Amino acid sequence: MFADYTSSELLSIFAMQGFAGLILFSVFVLMALGLAIIFGQMGVINMAHGEFMILGAYMTYLTSHVFENYLPASIYGMYFFIAMVIAFFAAGALGALVEWAMIRHLYKRPLDTLLATWGLSLILQQLYRTIFGTREVGVTLPDWLMGSYALSDSIEVPINGLFVMALTVVVTVGVWLMMQKSRLGKQTRAVVQNRPMAAAVGINTAKVDRLTFALGCGIAGIAGSAFTMIGSTGPTSGQLYIVDTFLVVVFGGASSLLGTVASAFTISQAQSTMEFFLSGSMAKVLTLLVVVGILMLRPQGLFSLKMRK
Amino acid sequence: MNSMISNLFSRYQLTHMLILALLLVVVLPLSMDIFRLNLVGKYLTYSFVAIGLVLCWGYGGILSLGQGVFFGLGGYCMAMFLKLEASTPEATAIQSTPGIPDFMDWNQLTELPWFWQPFHSFGFTLLAIIAVPAIFALIVAVAMFKRRVGGVYFAIITQAVAAILTILIIGQQGFTGGVNGITDLRTLHGWDIRTDSAKYVLYFVCVALLFGCLFAAKYVINSKLGRLLVAMREREDRVRFSGYDVSAFKIFIFCLAAVFSAIGGAMFTLQVGFMSPSFVGIVPSIEMVIFCAVGGRLSVLGAVYGALLVNFAKTTFSESFPELWLFAMGALFIGVVMAFPNGLAGVWSSQVEPRIKALFNKPGRTTPAATNSTSAPAATPAESFNPEEPSHARG
């Protein structure tokens, strides 16, 4: 399959596909980070995660709409940062509400959480459809995100992609620092490792659960915000990514953030590189098959904490 | 024979079976036209899957989100045979390559792929309907359960398998008919399956097979295997420490559920006249779980009613209020899980039945969850604890 291309052509193909893979990687990481926190730390399967992401995307769309129509054009370039904050808090607030109303009653029944959150995702999808219509919506990118940056004659990188990647790095580092250093992060890890003992030393475990869930959903909101930079948003966009994202989290080793990032990188690069040579669907089938195959051989994922059960 | 049945099922359970049989064999065929009855037959094919889920999810605690895969494999095997019969060289004379299915011709295939060849034989097809899903389930189950992967991980992997198969079927449209599936099926050994009389016959065949599966499922539940499954669901380690090979039981029950689904899929193809990837993927698979959950995850009869009711509701709702249907479906998921974990069967045995009994004032037989209990007069150890909240997943 390489015979038809010269070596420099191959190099630029790999570079361009690698870059496309990096954008996919960014979306995977942003979505998977929230899931890794919720699933890896709390053991809760949130099938509505994609819908939380789409909520962030719709919030970004609304914010850009407000900036475009009601505020001076000079500050339009700034809308994204405000939208991101709104998306984070909107998704986080909905997450806290869902945890309070639904999830906290089901902590002892993880498989049932899966079904209940699937129901939630159906309701949210239909809600989006009712409010925003079935057509996909997109935002107008501000000028400074338009265009691309030419590395060489045949290799160009789009600036919005670069921005999304930078955002991913910032969010990932932020989440990692928070889990390692902050009070909430330490409390979360304590609750995960030993719930009765954590409660015994005075941690309000119910509150930690709610905040952790809200945080995971909030990060999904940010993911949705970033998603608007590179694609348009429809009511069912979230569902397209949910299985992939779960595989990313499981493949990486559920409780390891580093593993999540590494597996997102592997999966997205493999997929986008193969996409060029095979059809899109076969690339996806092969990637998923390899991931499932590896998971069958190594069920604990790439990186796993050595912990006594 | 008679004594064997009475050993297996109490008179009480037989009454419930008889009521269902009366409903399906007498009441519905007499009260409905063939169009509606054909719809019921289609819904019943989903209840095959739901019965399988009762065994592997309700009793075994293994939630599979990929039962659509097995439904689809069974359905596709049947559809391949029917399609080959419909694509005789005479019937397809206008194609550039006569004698191959029309969608292959549209996709510039010039000969029948090797894996289609054996489906010329009806005997092989019947074997394949059972064997292909069973072997596939065996591979997945051995790989997962031998390594003690269970609970939510298993659910996610099966979901990924459903996604893979759907993408594969849609992507390889020259071999599989793509997103439209295998359509335009006409005859089975020269017998036109589209006529009304054929639809009646197929409906009754479907009901007969359904009862076969019901009896098989009841047999498993009331056997020692059924007890072990419940024990494994609750305390897998203790069963393992008692010297049982836990994974072998899990593998068996998962394969059995897959075979039930496949039979349902094959009957679906026969009654509906086509098979497409929209019955294979993630969404249909998870909907099949809700049929089972609504009916009651611990009751095989409940699963049949669950599949019928949810599908009736779906048809009625989505015809008149398509927007409301998704809200209702979502609420159904949440409501069943949060408020009625044992579904309709649970409501029946805890709410309705005591009242009926009070009405007739019959002494004795007041155990809750009686629909699921065996004929043994005293509750067996496996059932003596409350099955209200099965704590399936661990790990």
Side-chain angles (χ1 to χ4, degrees):
Chain A
M1 65 190 199
F2 298 114
D4 305 338
Y5 305 98
T6 66
S7 61
S8 72
E9 271 174 347
L10 268 180
L11 188 71
S12 16
I13 286 169
F14 276 117
M16 295 287 279
Q17 290 301 113
F19 191 78
L22 279 178
I23 297 177
L24 187 65
F25 161 69
S26 307
V27 175
F28 273 166
V29 167
L30 282 175
M31 250 190 103
L33 272 182
L35 260 195
I37 290 175
I38 294 175
F39 177 51
Q41 308 289 329
M42 303 169 75
V44 168
I45 306 278
N46 183 12
M47 293 302 282
H49 200 76
E51 278 63 41
F52 282 99
M53 175 179 116
I54 295 306
L55 179 70
Y58 275 125
M59 285 300 146
T60 311
Y61 164 70
L62 286 182
T63 316
S64 83
H65 199 70
V66 169
F67 268 74
E68 210 170 347
N69 293 320
Y70 303 104
L71 294 172
S74 54
I75 60 166
Y76 184 71
M78 299 301 297
Y79 89 91
F80 183 73
F81 298 99
I82 296 174
M84 213 167 65
V85 174
I86 296 177
F88 177 79
F89 282 103
L94 184 65
L97 182 72
V98 167
E99 202 276 347
W100 174 78
M102 216 163 82
I103 311 285
R104 72 187 165 119
H105 305 291
L106 300 171
Y107 279 124
K108 294 212 175 82
R109 299 187 273 155
L111 292 179
D112 287 7
T113 343
L114 199 155
L115 295 178
T117 47
W118 179 267
L120 178 71
S121 82
L122 290 182
I123 293 180
L124 286 176
Q125 276 174 32
Q126 188 56 40
L127 209 59
Y128 297 150
R129 208 170 280 140
T130 316
I131 299 174
F132 298 99
T134 41
R135 286 183 49 210
E136 300 207 332
V137 296
V139 298
T140 325
L141 286 181
D143 292 336
W144 59 273
L145 283 174
M146 302 282 234
S148 58
Y149 177 69
L151 279 180
S152 75
D153 296 343
S154 52
I155 305 175
E156 283 191 345
V157 291
I159 290 177
N160 58 351
L162 279 178
F163 179 75
V164 170
M165 271 183 249
L167 182 72
T168 307
V169 173
V170 172
V171 172
T172 312
V173 172
V175 167
W176 185 79
L177 278 178
M178 208 209 59
M179 291 310 284
Q180 297 299 319
K181 306 282 175 197
S182 82
R183 193 177 167 82
L184 174 66
K186 286 176 182 167
Q187 286 184 341
T188 309
R189 287 187 294 137
V191 171
V192 168
Q193 285 184 5
N194 193 330
R195 184 171 289 269
M197 279 314 289
V201 295
I203 295 175
N204 182 348
T205 56
K207 190 177 152 200
V208 169
D209 285 340
R210 188 155 318 145
L211 283 177
T212 315
F213 194 81
L215 179 75
C217 294
I219 296 172
I222 295 185
S225 217
F227 189 68
T228 59
M229 300 275 108
I230 48 177
S232 52
T233 313
T236 49
S237 309
Q239 216 169 35
L240 298 177
Y241 286 90
I242 190 74
V243 175
D244 294 2
T245 323
F246 265 118
L247 278 186
V248 165
V249 174
V250 175
F251 189 53
S255 48
S256 156
L257 287 184
L258 179 67
T260 304
V261 174
S263 84
F265 185 78
T266 321
I267 293 179
S268 55
Q269 285 302 323
Q271 193 171 321
S272 64
T273 311
M274 278 194 282
E275 245 165 31
F276 189 83
F277 297 103
L278 304 160
S279 67
S281 67
M282 279 317 283
K284 182 135 196 189
V285 165
L286 274 181
T287 317
L288 291 181
L289 265 184
V290 169
V291 170
V292 168
I294 292 177
L295 276 178
M296 284 178 174
L297 297 175
R298 194 181 156 78
Q300 69 273 41
L302 293 179
F303 295 74
S304 58
L305 290 183
K306 287 192 176 54
M307 222 162 81
R308 213 180 287 180
K309 287 204 171 170
Chain B
M1 184 65 195
N2 223 337
S3 70
M4 196 185 103
I5 288 181
S6 62
N7 280 341
L8 277 177
F9 311 107
S10 64
R11 203 165 64 201
Y12 176 80
Q13 286 177 314
L14 271 183
T15 323
H16 279 251
M17 283 271 202
L18 276 177
I19 293 174
L20 181 67
L22 256 154
L23 180 75
L24 293 181
V25 179
V26 180
V27 178
L28 291 182
L30 288 180
S31 62
M32 287 175 161
D33 57 46
I34 184 60
F35 173 73
R36 291 275 157 193
L37 193 70
N38 188 235
L39 273 185
V40 174
K42 176 177 142 188
Y43 303 158
L44 283 180
T45 60
Y46 294 129
S47 59
F48 285 87
V49 187
I51 295 170
L53 278 167
V54 167
L55 289 180
C56 85
W57 178 41
Y59 281 86
I62 308 159
L63 177 56
S64 161
L65 294 182
Q67 290 306 92
V69 167
F70 308 116
F71 187 81
L73 284 175
Y76 266 99
C77 285
M78 184 51 100
M80 283 159 87
F81 171 76
L82 295 176
K83 189 68 192 172
L84 285 182
E85 193 174 303
S87 322
T88 52
E90 300 82 55
T92 53
I94 50 163
Q95 288 175 183
S96 47
T97 318
I100 63 171
D102 46 12
F103 58 84
M104 291 186 186
D105 195 56
W106 301 332
N107 284 286
Q108 280 90 41
L109 261 66
T110 49
E111 62 177 337
L112 203 62
W114 59 269
F115 61 91
W116 273 75
Q117 299 287 0
F119 285 93
H120 279 296
S121 140
F122 188 55
F124 176 85
T125 306
L126 288 184
L127 185 71
I129 287 169
I130 305 292
V132 171
I135 291 169
F136 193 67
L138 187 72
I139 294 170
V140 174
V142 167
M144 304 301 287
F145 294 139
K146 284 282 179 200
R147 285 167 202 279
R148 301 191 185 173
V149 178
V152 291
Y153 285 84
F154 188 75
I156 292 173
I157 298 282
T158 47
Q159 196 169 41
V161 170
I164 293 172
L165 191 68
T166 321
I167 301 171
L168 193 66
I169 291 175
I170 295 176
Q172 298 297 312
Q173 54 176 329
F175 300 116
T176 60
V179 72
N180 296 321
I182 301 181
T183 55
D184 203 15
L185 308 173
R186 292 167 198 162
T187 56
L188 176 73
H189 271 308
W191 174 53
D192 195 334
I193 57 170
R194 294 166 300 175
T195 59
D196 282 355
S197 63
K199 281 181 177 169
Y200 270 112
V201 172
L202 287 172
Y203 172 81
F204 285 111
V205 170
C206 181
V207 171
L209 284 171
L210 183 71
F211 274 90
C213 287
L214 273 175
F215 277 106
K218 276 279 183 193
Y219 180 77
V220 167
I221 289 169
N222 292 343
S223 68
K224 188 178 170 191
L225 172 62
R227 312 268 159 74
L228 272 171
L229 282 177
V230 176
M232 267 159 38
R233 183 188 75 200
E234 298 299 328
R235 290 281 182 278
E236 186 173 325
D237 287 340
R238 291 196 192 175
V239 179
R240 187 174 288 129
F241 297 155
S242 310
Y244 289 104
D245 184 0
V246 168
S247 57
F249 295 115
K250 285 188 165 181
I251 292 167
F252 173 76
I253 206 72
F254 185 65
C255 291
L256 187 66
V259 168
F260 284 179
S261 311
I263 297 173
M267 285 315 294
F268 179 92
T269 306
L270 280 173
Q271 292 188 84
V272 182
F274 75 102
M275 191 70 213
S276 87
S278 57
F279 304 101
V280 175
I282 294 169
V283 177
S285 298
I286 206 162
E287 276 184 4
M288 290 167 187
V289 175
I290 206 66
F291 302 155
C292 167
V294 167
R297 65 181 75 163
L298 293 172
S299 159
V300 283
L301 288 173
V304 179
Y305 289 114
L308 285 178
L309 281 177
V310 177
N311 278 297
F312 264 121
K314 184 176 182 173
T315 313
T316 325
F317 260 101
S318 51
E319 271 167 13
S320 32
F321 322 97
E323 301 88 30
L324 279 181
W325 168 244
L326 270 180
F327 283 127
M329 186 84 172
L332 196 63
F333 268 96
I334 297 174
V336 162
V337 166
M338 310 236 357
F340 307 106
N342 282 334
L344 288 173
V347 174
W348 171 263
S349 59
S350 68
Q351 302 292 325
V352 184
E353 221 163 46
R355 287 188 195 155
I356 297 178
K357 288 209 174 98
L359 213 63
F360 290 100
N361 200 16
K362 272 188 186 169
R365 288 216 166 272
T366 46
T367 46
T371 9
N372 313 309
S373 63
T374 57
S375 57
T380 50
E383 290 140 353
S384 62
F385 62 86
N386 189 1
E388 204 63 28
E389 286 195 2
S391 49
H392 334 272
R394 40 196 78 249

